[in-house]
Amino acid sequence: MFKKIMNKKLLKNQKGLTLIELLAVIVILAIIAAIAIPAIGNIINNSKDKAILSDAAGVLAGAKIAIADGACGDTTQDTVTCKEEVLKDVFEGELDPNDKVTYTKADKKYIIHYSELGKIRNTTKFTVDGFYKAGDTNISEEALNKVMNK
């Protein structure tokens, strides 16, 4: 009997959250969301940009193989251009008809023209010598290596 009286007394003393407490919790959650959502958005954009740069590196790797095999034309010339029709055989991703890789023997430089590079959003983070403006679709191998390490 005593236990029943105590249980009823305990139940009467218990109260739920007040409206003020509930509003305080909602405000705190809103502040956390306001901070977290832009940070998550930046992480997603940076990962998309890194994926584009990684694809450009894949295009370059495929072009090097194709140039070494002579699939891109006469390798005795000063400049060898490996065009999209050859690159699609050595690169699994999607390519634009204007995508190409040019190798200049005198400078020993590769220049990648990859249309997806124009879609990079965070141009301030991925800025290096020779690759710095929004919409730029050309990058040298040296600049690509630098920007991939950022």
Side-chain angles (χ1 to χ4, degrees):
M1 174 99 164
F2 179 70
K3 283 186 178 180
K4 285 185 179 180
I5 295 171
M6 285 300 289
N7 284 341
K8 286 183 181 180
K9 196 173 192 180
L10 287 174
L11 288 175
K12 286 182 180 179
N13 289 337
Q14 289 183 352
K15 295 180 180 175
L17 292 173
T18 66
L19 183 59
I20 300 295
E21 291 169 331
L22 189 60
L23 286 174
V25 169
I26 292 171
V27 167
I28 291 169
L29 290 174
I31 291 170
I32 291 170
I35 293 168
I37 290 172
I40 292 169
N42 286 338
I43 291 169
I44 291 169
N45 285 339
N46 285 343
S47 66
K48 286 179 182 178
D49 291 347
K50 281 279 193 176
I52 291 170
L53 292 168
S54 177
D55 285 347
V59 170
L60 175 64
K64 284 182 174 183
I65 292 169
I67 290 170
D69 286 346
C72 296
D74 187 5
T75 56
T76 61
Q77 298 291 322
D78 288 338
T79 303
V80 179
T81 300
C82 203
K83 296 186 178 181
E84 178 263 345
E85 59 266 6
V86 175
L87 291 174
K88 69 181 177 186
D89 293 334
V90 292
F91 178 69
E92 288 185 10
E94 300 250 346
L95 291 171
D96 185 86
N98 296 322
D99 292 342
K100 62 186 174 190
V101 175
T102 304
Y103 175 67
T104 308
K105 282 187 177 180
D107 301 337
K108 294 184 180 179
K109 267 189 162 179
Y110 288 92
I111 302 293
I112 304 108
H113 176 84
Y114 183 53
S115 58
E116 293 293 307
L117 289 171
K119 295 180 181 177
I120 289 180
R121 292 177 185 96
N122 193 348
T123 53
T124 54
K125 179 175 181 172
F126 297 112
T127 296
V128 293
D129 305 333
F131 182 73
Y132 54 90
K133 59 186 176 204
D136 197 357
T137 57
N138 294 321
I139 189 168
S140 68
E141 178 184 24
E142 181 183 357
L144 180 62
N145 289 334
K146 283 182 187 178
V147 82
M148 288 289 289
N149 291 323
K150 279 191 159 194

